[in-house]
Amino acid sequence: MKLYFARKFLMLPLVLLGVSLLVFLAIRALPGDPARLMAGPEATQEAVDNMRIRLGLERSLIEQYVSFLWNALHGDFGISIQSKLPVTHEIAERFPYTLALALCAYGLATLVGVPAGVVAATHKGGWPDQIVMLVAIAGASIANFWLALMSMNLFSVQLGWLPLLGASSWKHFIMPTFALGLLPTAIIARMTRSSMVEVLSQDYVRTARAKGLSDAVVHRKHALRNALIPIVTIIGLNFGSVLGGAVVTESVFNWPGIGRLLVDSVSYRDYPMIQALILLAVVCVVVINFLADVIIAALNPRIRFD
């Protein structure tokens, strides 16, 4: 296990290095002049040239990338064009909101999706299975922005039960969590059902039942543990889609997270902020997938020796 963990951990810097290069080149390929934006529309050409020198844009791409990488390793992503504040300061204020929303959405997806999938698998073909699959298909088909708007109209405008916008109390979490968590809940429920149905047909499960163990013990100790492997994999792979959904959800609910900050930054062509936010999102996805690999190896020892 230690060797497997070390091998996976040593791959992280290489992956992050390649991702940082792709993000750097993608941002440089966007149209517009960051020096002109920083200097302002009324600035003279001399002021724009001075700003270009200040930002280091007159240097070669290789020199810029090395400088960007060195500064990023020291937590320095430059100054935001929009707010004129350090990018790290802006992200440090917004990131906790997005992290809390993502954890709530994933918590909802796991706490509802896994039990629903187990119930559907253990009642395969019955009405519980049909209801769970019908809800899961509907959940996977509904766009989160449409669900967010309908929720706002029903629970805030019509009934007045929940606050419409913002993030100042626990009530503000309910609708964004539901809108962001519905799709991963549906995916996890379907994956859990499929995995459990396959595991329940294995010989060792029939042997456990032949020993006289109750269905609850067989499902919990023998079936669910092995069925969790593809579920953990799908949770890790879907974290990127949750972050993508957070961009839309935060914009609809005026949520002060990095998703809304990214939308505002794109509107202002705030290149330093866009670059840092994309890199942060990719780092989160890479780290989550690394943790998923470690959990899968802990659940299935055979993977460590592949």
Side-chain angles (χ1 to χ4, degrees):
M1 182 66 184
K2 291 180 180 178
L3 181 61
Y4 178 84
F5 177 82
R7 195 166 64 238
K8 287 287 182 182
F9 186 78
L10 290 175
M11 289 175 62
L12 281 180
L14 297 177
V15 174
L16 293 177
L17 186 65
V19 167
S20 68
L21 178 60
L22 289 175
V23 171
F24 174 82
L25 294 176
I27 296 299
R28 293 303 183 277
L30 290 176
D33 185 357
R36 168 64 67 182
L37 291 170
M38 285 284 285
E42 305 298 331
T44 63
Q45 185 59 43
E46 183 181 1
V48 174
D49 292 339
N50 289 334
M51 181 59 70
R52 185 169 288 107
I53 294 173
R54 179 182 163 194
L55 295 174
L57 298 177
E58 85 288 1
R59 293 179 292 176
S60 66
L61 279 178
I62 295 176
E63 290 176 316
Q64 290 183 48
Y65 175 67
V66 172
S67 176
F68 161 72
L69 203 59
W70 177 258
N71 292 332
L73 289 173
H74 291 80
D76 181 9
F77 289 93
I79 303 297
S80 167
I81 294 175
Q82 182 184 358
S83 65
K84 312 299 182 188
L85 295 173
V87 168
T88 49
H89 173 77
E90 292 280 295
I91 293 178
E93 282 192 343
R94 301 290 194 97
F95 185 66
Y97 288 98
T98 297
L99 180 62
L101 183 59
L103 289 177
C104 287
Y106 250 47
L108 172 71
T110 305
L111 293 176
V112 175
V114 173
V118 171
V119 169
T122 54
H123 297 79
K124 183 183 175 185
W127 64 266
D129 181 22
Q130 295 177 5
I131 291 176
V132 170
M133 286 300 98
L134 182 64
V135 174
I137 292 172
S141 306
I142 297 174
N144 63 346
F145 73 89
W146 184 86
L147 182 64
L149 294 174
M150 292 300 104
S151 301
M152 292 169 74
N153 180 51
L154 177 61
F155 295 108
S156 295
V157 178
Q158 302 295 332
L159 300 175
W161 291 351
L162 296 173
L164 189 63
L165 303 171
S168 57
S169 72
W170 64 270
K171 289 185 178 179
H172 288 88
F173 276 82
I174 297 177
M175 287 194 293
T177 297
F178 183 61
L180 187 59
L182 183 61
L183 176 59
T185 301
I187 293 174
I188 289 175
R190 295 176 66 180
M191 178 58 69
T192 303
R193 179 193 179 276
S194 175
S195 183
M196 278 290 291
V197 167
E198 182 179 351
V199 170
L200 288 173
S201 66
Q202 299 297 315
D203 290 339
Y204 63 86
V205 173
R206 285 193 286 268
T207 302
R209 282 178 172 151
K211 290 179 179 178
L213 297 177
S214 65
D215 283 344
V217 173
V218 171
H219 295 160
R220 188 176 68 252
K221 288 190 174 181
H222 295 274
L224 186 57
R225 179 185 173 88
N226 292 293
L228 281 176
I229 295 171
I231 299 169
V232 174
T233 303
I234 206 71
I235 288 175
L237 293 176
N238 269 281
F239 189 75
S241 66
V242 170
L243 288 179
V247 174
V248 177
T249 304
E250 290 181 1
S251 299
V252 173
F253 288 101
N254 199 26
W255 191 264
I258 60 172
R260 183 179 155 214
L261 180 61
L262 179 60
V263 173
D264 294 340
S265 301
V266 171
S267 302
Y268 282 91
R269 295 187 178 179
D270 192 343
Y271 296 115
M273 185 65 76
I274 298 170
Q275 191 170 254
L277 289 174
I278 294 176
L279 192 59
L280 174 64
V282 173
V283 168
C284 289
V285 172
V286 170
V287 171
I288 291 295
N289 278 279
F290 167 73
L291 295 176
D293 285 341
V294 173
I295 294 173
I296 290 169
L299 292 171
N300 187 0
R302 289 177 299 177
I303 293 178
R304 306 171 203 167
F305 303 103
D306 288 344

